[in-house]
Amino acid sequence: MNRTAPGPVPSLATVGPPRLLAGLDETAWMDREAHLAAHGPAPGPDVDELAALAEDIGLRGRGGAGFLFARKLRAVAAAQRRKGSSASVVVNGSEGEPGCLKDTALLLYAPHLVLDGALMAARALGADRVAVGVTRPDVERSVRRALAERGPEPGPQADVTLLPERFVTGESSALVRGIEGGPALPSGRRVRTSESGLGGAPTLLSNTETFAQLAAAARLGATGYGACGLPTEPGTVMLTVAGTHVVETPTGVPLTYILDLCGTAPGQGVLVGGYHGSWLPPEAARAATVSRDSLAAAGGVLGAGAVLPLPETTCPVGEVVRMARWLAAQSAGQCGPCALGLPSLADALAEAADGGGQRALDAARARMSAVEQRGACGHPDGSARFVASALAVFADEFAAHALGHGCARPVLGALPLPEGELHTAVSGARTDSSAQAPAEQLLVDWTLCRGHGLCADLLPGLLRLGADGYPERAVMPLPARMRGRALRAVRRCPALALRIAAAG
Amino acid sequence: MRPSARPALPAAILLLLAVAAQAGVAERTQEFLDFGAGVLALVSLTSTVLWGLAATDRRLLGSAHRLLAQGVHRGLAVAGLGFLALHIWVKVAEDRTSPAAAAVPFADNGQPFLIGLGTMAGYLFVAVAVSGAFRSAFSSVGGSRRWRALHMAAYPAWGAALVHGLHAGRPAAGWATAAYALCLAGVAAALTLRLRARLREERAERTGAGGQS
């Protein structure tokens, strides 16, 4: 990395008594002593107790996808029993999302709490390794310092790896590959990390805040943990407001209260869930509270807790174009539809912004749907979601710009643009939904596919090519009668990018 | 349309008949097989290499043509290996070389180097053919790279086969040598172009990635 500064430094705030951030009002870095004084010693629950606790407090992954932690933990335990192998725990500290700093803040100021949670999970699983993947040198130093303080302990060994800082690094398979010393890029294989992760062993991979919440919950118990926040979503969440303020708040607090606290307002709209998230119009933002349900009802997502208000003084269309360009540049370039599609989407948006008329807007919509579900990770989908919600919330602005009126406001770059975040276990979720009638499916590995298109000739009924020459979908249910022909397509694919796998 | 090895088989048979007729197979089958099998093996395997290379082109050929080319490539490969087996059997049966020398490279008494090249080429071609037959087993990230490396062994095998075929037996006719040289030049040119395109792509990727990290 060429950058000299390790990245923006988060400023901390809490609503109500701090929980994860406890003790940080008195010291800048929670050393082992301060950590134990603030939180007490870490309990040692077994895997069933830990899963039950996570279930009772409804703990979900705090990296964006919001997968139920208890289910993930049980899946790893089950895979471990089935394979008779050891397991690993991976802490995702690669906060790729520019609008997010909360994981950075936790690892930077309270690394012991995160390590407690990860080591607790590792001991419960009988895992032998805890790997922390980070993307900032200052974060790496903080974790190393915490590990050195702990000294050699019996049980699972923890280590930290510095990975390249880019948007897709946080995707689970990219993170695992990076920690193993390979390229930190999403793999085209749709294998769940809980099944086969670090070194092929079942791996519990979760986000930094998730482990910190787990460590806090294990000490408080389910009842104590639920003492603040909503009954449906107990406890606190970590938000990042305007890309610099990290706020720990109980759920249920009005979003405007948090914005006020950070000296800002909904403005023209609030982007929630980061750059793979969606825009809330100002009135929806004023009515929303900090909770998954409330934000979902307003058409947003809590995601990784990024809250990015757009000030009145900047041109929303220009900001969206700027973001779309950045998202396009963040493509790892592995998968054709994403590597070609996102830049062309950004071009269409830029053209619309420069008075390209309805035609340019239509082109942007077409290119937006052309990238959906067509990558090894969720980056194309998340980017399309961002653009779709921008086109909906700023519909009038886009229409005015497309017709050549513009808004005469400058593009201030109000949305922070260092680096991006994870969008997580999309692959796992998607294979679930496609596990229907046929026992097998035909899979496209986007990282290998070069759009030769021979498969479409061999499988006319099953596989169609998109306008860009790549298959339209990556997962196709494979009826038994088509198997012979599908196998022929697998053999004939010049790039060996097709594969037949059991469904589910 | 279901392209397969079918167009290749009649082509191979026609080729066999043509060469056979010219050689006067009616009189002396044995004499014909003595050199004909080897010639046919070399011609088939050379064509296999050419058709295989042609099937990878995406500038001139549409996907249907490429599938057809793949079919011809596979059919010729099967025919070539068949002729190769016949060639080895005839040579051993005629006592031109010992079974041991046919199996172990560079063990022939008379022409250890030239016969050895043929043996080496034979093994490589069989390995390449197996990799082609079980191609679907390589459909994974590392697998595609492994398969490519394995299948690439066809080029050294072909080179060795050419040296063996043109020098180990009867002196080759001038036009035959010229035709093979033309094939060799064509393949070399195609491979160079491909390598250059690959390098250019990689360089573009590197500078693209370097620009934003």
Side-chain angles (χ1 to χ4, degrees):
Chain A
M1 269 179 298
N2 307 328
R3 27 188 331 146
T4 43
V9 178
S11 69
L12 303 180
T14 63
V15 176
R19 194 172 268 178
L20 304 190
L21 301 181
L24 281 165
D25 46 348
E26 294 182 355
T27 173
W29 191 78
M30 296 289 283
D31 58 22
R32 186 97 173 109
E33 212 170 298
H35 166 72
L36 288 173
H39 296 281
D46 67 27
V47 69
D48 292 325
E49 288 166 355
L50 200 61
L53 172 72
E55 194 151 47
D56 288 345
I57 62 170
L59 183 60
R60 286 174 182 273
R62 298 294 172 92
F67 196 76
L68 280 170
F69 186 81
R71 201 182 292 170
K72 203 183 260 188
L73 185 65
R74 290 199 178 109
V76 174
Q80 203 185 352
R81 261 197 308 279
R82 188 156 15 86
K83 294 170 120 180
S85 67
S86 149
S88 297
V89 172
V90 172
V91 181
N92 190 348
S94 72
E95 202 155 43
E97 179 100 32
C100 258
L101 270 181
K102 48 116 182 162
D103 292 340
T104 300
L106 285 172
L107 288 173
L108 210 49
Y109 303 135
H112 281 293
L113 191 63
V114 179
L115 291 174
D116 268 359
L119 286 164
M120 190 188 298
R123 286 199 191 95
L125 284 166
D128 45 21
R129 181 176 176 196
V130 171
V132 186
V134 302
T135 51
R136 282 173 55 150
D138 53 344
V139 173
E140 186 201 12
R141 276 195 300 277
S142 166
V143 176
R144 267 195 209 295
R145 205 172 130 197
L147 288 174
E149 265 195 326
R150 287 176 172 245
E153 288 177 29
Q157 294 305 304
D159 56 81
V160 55
T161 310
L162 183 66
L163 300 165
E165 187 166 2
R166 70 190 306 172
F167 204 77
V168 297
T169 304
E171 195 271 342
S172 52
S173 63
L175 191 71
V176 166
R177 288 173 82 189
I179 290 173
E180 284 174 340
L185 295 172
S187 123
R189 312 300 297 256
R190 292 159 185 276
V191 179
R192 265 172 265 181
T193 317
S194 60
E195 199 59 42
S196 168
L198 211 55
T203 297
L204 179 73
L205 184 148
S206 205
N207 155 272
T208 300
E209 186 196 340
T210 321
F211 285 113
Q213 294 284 5
L214 190 69
R219 289 169 165 110
L220 295 167
T223 325
Y225 187 87
C228 71
L230 296 169
T232 46
E233 299 170 42
T236 63
V237 289
M238 301 282 291
L239 300 178
T240 313
V241 180
T244 50
H245 307 279
V246 172
V247 184
E248 180 180 19
T249 172
T251 52
V253 172
L255 190 60
T256 42
Y257 181 81
I258 307 287
L259 291 174
D260 274 352
L261 184 73
C262 300
T264 171
Q268 303 184 65
V270 180
L271 178 62
V272 288
Y275 295 159
H276 278 171
S278 37
W279 288 94
L280 299 182
E283 45 300 351
R286 283 194 194 93
T289 59
V290 176
S291 84
R292 290 169 54 85
D293 292 344
S294 165
L295 288 175
V301 281
L302 182 55
V307 177
L308 297 154
L310 193 69
E312 300 279 3
T313 46
T314 187
C315 166
V317 172
E319 296 283 350
V320 170
V321 170
R322 179 167 161 266
M323 286 311 310
R325 286 226 185 284
W326 180 80
L327 286 166
Q330 288 301 305
S331 168
Q334 293 196 112
C335 310
C338 173
L340 302 175
L342 293 186
S344 86
L345 171 59
D347 287 345
L349 285 173
E351 209 188 318
D354 287 344
Q358 188 60 38
R359 196 183 44 79
L361 278 180
D362 290 345
R365 285 211 174 77
R367 289 173 196 178
M368 187 176 76
S369 48
V371 298
E372 281 167 22
Q373 302 246 328
R374 295 176 79 199
C377 70
H379 184 56
D381 300 65
S383 304
R385 191 160 54 233
F386 167 83
V387 172
S389 93
L391 286 176
V393 170
F394 303 120
D396 294 345
E397 303 275 356
F398 267 98
H401 277 261
L403 294 176
H405 305 313
C407 63
R409 277 175 294 192
V411 180
L412 297 177
L415 301 172
L417 270 199
E419 235 80 2
E421 137 87 340
L422 70 153
H423 35 62
T424 44
V426 190
S427 54
R430 203 174 305 142
T431 10
D432 277 352
S433 63
S434 58
Q436 297 141 357
E440 287 187 313
Q441 47 192 2
L442 185 66
L443 307 178
V444 178
D445 185 332
W446 290 123
T447 65
L448 292 173
C449 178
R450 290 293 167 266
H452 286 278
L454 304 202
C455 46
D457 267 33
L458 290 168
L459 294 166
L462 190 67
L463 193 151
R464 268 194 317 176
L465 299 181
D468 53 8
Y470 290 87
E472 268 188 339
R473 283 182 299 153
V475 182
M476 287 147 280
L478 181 58
R481 65 189 161 80
M482 299 283 277
R483 193 176 198 283
R485 282 208 270 166
L487 190 61
R488 186 199 207 75
V490 170
R491 289 205 192 106
R492 294 302 186 88
C493 171
L496 280 163
L498 290 174
R499 202 157 50 87
I500 296 175
Chain B
M1 204 209 61
R2 297 186 56 184
S4 66
R6 259 171 269 161
L9 205 59
I13 292 170
L14 269 173
L15 195 67
L16 171 76
L17 290 179
V19 179
Q22 211 217 347
V25 72
E27 301 101 54
R28 304 268 274 283
T29 313
Q30 175 93 20
E31 189 182 308
F32 158 69
L33 281 180
D34 185 27
F35 70 92
V39 169
L40 283 169
L42 191 59
V43 169
S44 307
L45 291 171
T46 300
S47 318
T48 307
V49 171
L50 296 180
W51 278 96
L53 198 58
T56 63
D57 173 82
R58 57 194 296 186
R59 252 173 293 177
L60 302 175
L61 301 184
S63 60
H65 299 119
R66 295 181 57 189
L67 287 169
L68 190 72
Q70 285 183 351
V72 175
H73 168 69
R74 293 175 152 236
L76 282 169
V78 172
L81 287 184
F83 290 133
L84 185 61
L86 191 65
H87 167 65
I88 297 168
W89 176 63
V90 168
K91 291 293 178 193
V92 172
E94 283 193 339
D95 228 2
R96 302 276 178 131
T97 187
S98 64
V104 183
F106 312 113
D108 190 65
N109 289 330
Q111 295 175 297
F113 179 66
L114 286 171
I115 303 293
L117 279 184
T119 307
M120 290 291 292
Y123 282 129
L124 283 176
F125 273 129
V126 169
V128 170
V130 169
S131 78
F134 294 96
R135 197 162 185 273
S136 56
F138 290 84
S139 60
S140 65
V141 179
S144 76
R145 218 168 299 140
R146 273 200 299 282
W147 182 85
R148 235 165 273 276
L150 206 55
H151 215 65
M152 219 78 100
Y155 296 116
W158 180 49
L162 279 179
V163 175
H164 165 84
L166 295 179
H167 294 290
R170 322 170 295 166
W175 63 267
T177 312
Y180 282 123
L182 213 60
C183 292
L184 206 58
V187 168
L191 286 181
T192 314
L193 283 179
R194 209 205 259 182
L195 191 69
R196 263 182 45 190
R198 173 88 47 87
L199 287 178
R200 212 176 7 243
E201 211 173 90
E202 266 168 25
R203 206 162 33 233
E205 244 165 53
R206 236 187 334 240
T207 50
Q212 53 168 293
S213 59

